[in-house]
Amino acid sequence: MSAQAPTLAIIGGGQLARMMAQPAIALGLPVRLLAEAEGVSAAQVIADHVVGDYRDLDTLRKITDGCAVVTFDHEHVPTEHLHALAEAGVAVRPGPDALVYAQDKGLMRERLAALGVPCPRNAIVATAEEVVEFGLPCVLKTTRGGYDGKGVWVVRAAADAAGPFEVAARTGVRILAEELVDFRRELSAIVARSPSGQAAAYPIVQTTQRDGICHEVIAPAPGLSDALAGEAQSIALRIAGELGVVGILAVELFETADGHVLVNELAMRPHNTGHWTQDGAETSQFENHLRAVMDLPLGAPTPRAPWAVMVNILGGDTPEPGRLYDGFPHALARDPHLRVHLYGKELRPGRKVGHVNTYGEDLDDCLARARHAAAWFAGELGDESE
Ligand code: ADP
């Protein structure tokens, strides 16, 4: 075995790449980063980085030159560039033939339907008339380019469809209509899969969104029956296998009022709903992503405690530079078991700048501690709340 492990290229300098850097250090994996700008979250911690445009094939070729494997912080690298890199001999993980189903919600729906995976009723629509024909109320989504609730509209009248179709006309993306699911709650299934086919499934978690952004995650989902949890895990493992996903696959699910699960969407990278694993599981999703893309044996996804809670820290409405760090003494002194993960981002209203994790025997205690700390960091609590 050579002394030096092969180099892993990561495209995209956000917090997911930053959090991949931590297990890369522990595993002794050299990492090279393509960052979208100097000083972005992951560029602060990965010394071997280049600033460039991930939409430019030459830039992608340069950054992956000499790397054994390339993986991603986001899903936006054009599919044809991924094919070009694969043809040039770089192991693209996840590969373009899988990743396209995380890039395009229309293709994802078609493929999942062909696999018989339960999804909300859906159709590609091109006009307001077709939306009415599909049935109102419904949800319209851009098939590509959406994130954190951007590119998702609840449509109750034909006139509401005008906005989405304007976006479609401007950007050239197709519009997907879905039934408005009356869900009991949202769940997430996270699995890791390696090229040799080994897979590991994390417990099914409950996720709460606020303004389209993941806000809070509870692991495992409280009160979820073993049968439904098993079904959700099987769905995720099956999708990972059938689509040939390598790395982490996150399957966002709706638990319906009548006790079924429907797939909402797929992400093929570490996911916000898996951040709890950094402290609440034996092997974090970031480490298992790296192990999977490097085709190393996966680590145990086993929880460390009966409950784990993650709460995102969003920039408050009155951002004060430095406030995030000012929160440290209070938050850390108040709760020595609190785990804090900050992304090195400036506070802006609504922007994800970090998260906190708690774990333990008592769910209410975990929730209270994590919520308090996140609110404190976000500047939502004043000094009187001590
Ligand atoms: P994004 O790509 O922005 O994450 P999603 O497709 O996950 O978009 O939708 C964002 C949120 O909108 C979901 O988490 C859910 O709360 C809501 N949503 C999406 N699709 C539906 C649907 N068919 N029925 C009801 N709510 C939906």
Side-chain angles (χ1 to χ4, degrees):
M1 199 172 143
S2 71
Q4 182 74 352
T7 301
L8 170 67
I10 303 178
I11 309 300
Q15 64 263 25
L16 301 179
R18 179 185 176 103
M19 290 186 276
M20 286 181 212
Q22 275 176 321
I25 292 169
L27 293 170
L29 273 183
V31 171
R32 185 183 300 161
L33 177 76
L34 177 63
E36 39 288 326
E38 201 55 71
V40 293
S41 186
Q44 295 167 18
V45 300
I46 298 176
D48 185 3
H49 68 264
V50 169
V51 172
D53 187 346
Y54 60 81
R55 291 164 299 191
D56 178 59
L57 182 55
D58 281 343
T59 303
L60 292 170
R61 284 193 197 282
K62 270 187 213 132
I63 190 85
T64 54
D65 184 35
C67 291
V69 176
V70 59
T71 194
F72 311 94
D73 168 88
H74 58 69
E75 283 131 359
H76 306 314
V77 179
T79 317
E80 62 273 19
H81 291 358
L82 300 178
H83 281 292
L85 293 179
E87 276 156 27
V90 185
V92 180
R93 294 178 177 160
D97 293 334
L99 201 57
V100 71
Y101 298 107
Q103 294 176 320
D104 188 310
K105 290 178 182 176
L107 298 180
M108 179 264 287
R109 286 288 179 236
E110 265 176 44
R111 185 69 197 268
L112 294 188
L115 292 175
V117 170
C119 290
R121 190 173 65 83
N122 64 87
I124 295 290
V125 287
T127 61
E129 291 72 45
E130 286 182 15
V131 176
V132 173
E133 219 169 278
F134 177 81
L136 295 173
C138 70
V139 178
L140 295 186
K141 301 181 175 183
T142 54
T143 48
R144 282 180 175 261
Y147 66 99
D148 282 350
K150 293 183 182 66
V152 176
W153 299 266
V154 176
V155 171
R156 298 187 185 277
D160 300 343
F165 286 119
E166 267 166 36
V167 173
R170 196 173 63 240
T171 57
V173 299
R174 300 187 300 164
I175 296 288
L176 178 74
E178 291 182 359
E179 68 177 289
L180 179 63
V181 178
D182 177 21
F183 56 81
R184 187 183 286 167
R185 57 178 165 174
E186 295 187 65
L187 304 172
S188 172
I190 294 201
V191 296
R193 183 178 176 277
S194 63
S196 47
Q198 192 193 5
Y202 288 95
I204 303 303
V205 301
Q206 171 178 319
T207 95
T208 315
Q209 324 286 318
R210 211 189 252 177
D211 302 327
I213 298 180
C214 171
H215 171 61
E216 191 171 281
V217 171
I218 302 176
L224 185 67
S225 70
D226 288 348
L228 208 51
E231 190 184 327
Q233 283 183 321
S234 310
I235 286 174
L237 288 168
R238 175 141 182 266
I239 294 173
E242 295 277 359
L243 269 48
V245 177
V246 171
I248 292 287
L249 168 72
V251 181
E252 294 179 30
L253 300 149
F254 299 124
E255 182 182 351
T256 59
D258 58 354
H260 290 97
V261 285
L262 299 174
V263 171
N264 175 26
E265 73 160 340
L266 309 181
M268 293 178 196
R269 51 170 170 73
H271 193 250
N272 203 161
T273 60
H275 289 357
W276 67 275
T277 61
Q278 288 174 302
D279 303 298
E282 281 187 35
T283 315
S284 79
Q285 62 164 349
F286 298 100
E287 175 158 349
N288 263 340
H289 185 74
L290 296 189
R291 290 191 189 209
V293 300
M294 301 309 290
D295 204 10
L296 295 168
L298 300 177
T302 322
R304 287 184 196 276
W307 297 104
V309 170
M310 189 258 5
V311 180
N312 271 340
I313 304 171
L314 301 186
D317 288 336
T318 51
E320 297 167 45
R323 175 61 204 252
L324 212 50
Y325 195 72
D326 291 351
F328 261 87
H330 171 90
L332 302 188
R334 186 178 195 273
D335 183 357
H337 301 288
L338 183 74
R339 309 304 307 167
V340 184
H341 302 266
L342 299 183
Y343 309 154
K345 292 183 166 182
E346 255 174 64
L347 284 178
R348 266 190 240 134
R351 187 186 203 198
K352 286 182 200 171
V353 293
H355 64 272
V356 293
N357 285 333
T358 56
Y359 57 94
E361 307 283 322
D362 184 299
L363 175 58
D364 288 338
D365 176 62
C366 290
L367 276 171
R369 286 161 46 218
R371 285 174 182 166
H372 177 93
W376 179 265
F377 274 110
E380 288 166 12
L381 300 179
D383 291 334
E384 70 285 357
S385 65
E386 294 268 335

